[in-house]
Amino acid sequence: MSPKQKQPAIVAELGRPETAEETAARKAEDSRKHRSKQTSTNLWLSLLATLAIAVVLVLLVPRSDSPADPDIDYTALAVDAQEAVDAPLAVPVLPDGWKANAAELRTSTTGGVTSWYVGFITPERDFLAYSQGVDGNSTWLANLLDDHRVTGQTTIGGQQWDVYDDRDDSDAGNLEYALATDVDGQFYAVYGTAEDAEFTTLATALAEQIGAP
């Protein structure tokens, strides 16, 4: 007498036993849900690990206490730079609110002209700078101003200046506007993105340094 065969279990949702195809589909779905759950868990663990690393880096990396806008003592730097050149370097005296963020002697790659450069953040938060070409020339000036053309002349601080107005040029960069003059072989240029009033302030202070009446 053969043993009694076990009858397939009746599935409540179906009201009958599963077919082989239904059983395979159910197991496949259960496996997919399990893998999906594992993937979500791994993703959260990975995000938590990344966050932990970021926190550690923030805590360990030293932070500078220097201000976002450095205020360089360009007058003191000019005294040091003066030892390297014979011509007197221009050091304009400016009102409160002007902050120098760079001051140095530079040597051009074409012609080897030495120049004294000072860059400023203006009170209106614009960029403005001046360069003095020691024994400079027109080639040095053209290179400095990226070959922009003279668009006019003006007199500021008793000194006549050539005007380079490229504010309508979207590619002008930091050379939106410039003023240039030369006195006794020294070339001077004021350039940047500031408005006319701040250009006038710097050009006037500079003119007082370069032999203007």
Side-chain angles (χ1 to χ4, degrees):
M1 182 176 182
S2 62
K4 184 177 181 182
Q5 293 182 340
K6 184 177 180 180
Q7 297 297 319
I10 296 176
V11 179
E13 291 84 356
L14 299 175
R16 57 175 174 76
E18 286 180 327
T19 64
E21 291 79 3
E22 290 171 338
T23 299
R26 175 174 55 79
K27 290 181 177 180
E29 179 63 15
D30 289 343
S31 178
R32 185 193 66 77
K33 290 180 179 179
H34 179 70
R35 289 195 303 271
S36 177
K37 184 177 180 181
Q38 283 187 321
T39 300
S40 298
T41 300
N42 291 338
L43 177 59
W44 280 108
L45 290 175
S46 177
L47 289 173
L48 289 174
T50 301
L51 179 61
I53 292 173
V55 170
V56 170
L57 289 176
V58 169
L59 293 176
L60 292 180
V61 174
R63 289 182 289 276
S64 173
D65 294 328
S66 61
D69 294 332
D71 190 5
I72 294 173
D73 187 351
Y74 65 98
T75 302
L77 291 175
V79 173
D80 295 335
Q82 186 65 73
E83 297 179 1
V85 295
D86 294 330
L89 299 179
V91 187
V93 179
L94 295 166
D96 291 341
W98 289 72
K99 293 184 178 182
N101 61 2
E104 60 188 6
L105 285 177
R106 296 178 172 180
T107 301
S108 66
T109 56
T110 55
V113 174
T114 298
S115 62
W116 167 237
Y117 166 86
V118 182
F120 295 97
I121 301 299
T122 73
E124 296 298 324
R125 309 292 298 168
D126 285 316
F127 164 76
L128 202 53
Y130 76 89
S131 289
Q132 173 185 351
V134 179
D135 295 327
N137 52 53
S138 57
T139 300
W140 171 82
L141 182 63
N143 288 334
L144 176 69
L145 300 182
D146 202 20
D147 290 322
H148 289 192
R149 296 184 177 182
V150 175
T151 58
Q153 281 80 35
T154 188
T155 300
I156 299 175
Q159 186 69 40
Q160 184 173 346
W161 302 80
D162 288 331
V163 176
Y164 300 75
D165 189 349
D166 290 282
R167 285 170 171 156
D168 293 333
D169 184 354
S170 59
D171 296 325
N174 283 336
L175 295 174
E176 288 183 1
Y177 192 86
L179 300 169
T181 190
D182 65 279
V183 178
D184 298 330
Q186 304 294 303
F187 280 69
Y188 303 86
V190 179
Y191 48 94
T193 60
E195 297 299 324
D196 288 351
E198 291 182 324
F199 266 93
T200 298
T201 297
L202 180 53
T204 299
L206 192 58
E208 295 175 357
Q209 301 278 312
I210 60 179

